Amino acid sequence: MATTQVKNLGRIAASSCLFFLCDMQVKFRPAIPHFEELAKVSNRMVQVAKLLGIPVVATEQYPKGLGHTDDAIDISSARVFDKTAFSMVVPAVQDVMETEYTRKTVVLFGIEAHVCVSQTALDLLEKGYNVHVVADGTSSRSQADRCIAFERLKQSGAFITTSEAIVFELLGDSKAPFFKDVQALVKTPVADTGLFKNE
């Protein structure tokens, strides 16, 4: 009897995923439309990760010139790495992933969608990770670059989703531990991040 191949549905669990925060740095604030709202999404995701025991890896692209992660995002519980490569999957991050965080799913958000986020996602996919890109927490200077990046990543095998969809899938049940704490974080919707509007 022939066996049916089960499609990868992209299911996620707190025990098997990592959160990647990509280059949400202060110098990008004037250049990225809706940066403030994106920072709120990023901060909410980091706080959810803290509650659920999900490790957070954050990178900063050439911080000497571009500054550090914006103060609106609390990365006190994250592992933070400097980089000059566009991809987050630099040797130091890869080493941590292989030795400390043996998890095969990455939830990815930050900037810019068509550069650092895309190259990170492609590197992770190539290494066999499941990748979920948080669309309302990821952007570019250009809305065209943002949207085309999401389409390209979907074609490459990444899952394009939203912050709230990720949060509630991780919880799974209204009786889950920390449900009320997480619910309080997402109770007020984050303002529009420009996903379905022209610049």
Side-chain angles (χ1 to χ4, degrees):
M1 183 182 233
T3 57
T4 304
Q5 180 112 13
V6 178
K7 183 179 180 182
N8 181 3
L9 300 176
R11 302 301 298 268
I12 61 170
S15 60
S16 60
C17 73
L18 291 166
F19 280 13
F20 269 31
L21 170 63
C22 185
D23 305 350
M24 283 291 291
Q25 291 157 257
V26 64
K27 287 288 180 74
F28 289 120
R29 182 177 274 272
I32 304 291
H34 308 286
F35 185 96
E36 186 174 346
E37 290 76 21
L38 293 163
K40 287 178 182 176
V41 172
S42 293
N43 193 56
R44 182 166 71 176
M45 295 299 286
V46 171
Q47 296 310 306
V48 168
K50 190 173 182 180
L51 284 169
L52 300 183
I54 299 168
V56 177
V57 171
T59 56
E60 296 175 341
Q61 179 75 18
Y62 184 58
K64 184 178 178 181
L66 296 172
H68 293 287
T69 300
D70 194 88
D71 288 341
I73 307 165
D74 178 6
I75 57 168
S76 58
S77 60
R79 296 286 298 272
V80 184
F81 298 86
D82 296 355
K83 67 182 180 69
T84 56
F86 297 128
S87 173
M88 292 178 71
V89 190
V90 293
V93 171
Q94 193 169 336
D95 183 61
V96 165
M97 293 177 75
E98 292 173 356
T99 59
E100 296 182 36
Y101 306 137
T102 53
R103 301 175 178 220
K104 294 304 288 183
T105 296
V106 173
V107 175
L108 173 61
F109 46 98
I111 55 179
E112 290 189 69
H114 65 298
V115 186
C116 296
V117 171
S118 283
Q119 292 188 34
T120 299
L122 294 171
D123 281 350
L124 291 168
L125 289 164
E126 198 169 46
K127 293 178 183 299
Y129 288 86
N130 293 310
V131 179
H132 297 256
V133 178
V134 181
D136 57 329
T138 302
S139 196
S140 298
R141 287 166 294 159
S142 155
Q143 187 72 355
D145 282 327
R146 182 189 197 186
C147 293
I148 296 300
F150 291 155
E151 187 61 31
R152 193 266 172 102
L153 290 175
K154 187 165 70 171
Q155 291 168 350
S156 299
F159 298 96
I160 311 301
T161 186
T162 65
S163 56
E164 194 160 314
I166 288 285
V167 168
F168 282 101
E169 186 171 351
L170 287 168
L171 286 170
D173 194 310
S174 61
K175 293 182 179 178
F178 304 112
F179 173 77
K180 289 188 177 178
D181 298 305
V182 173
Q183 186 183 40
L185 288 172
V186 300
K187 192 170 185 180
T188 304
V190 173
D192 180 24
T193 62
L195 264 178
F196 299 106
K197 293 181 180 178
N198 293 323
E199 293 177 314

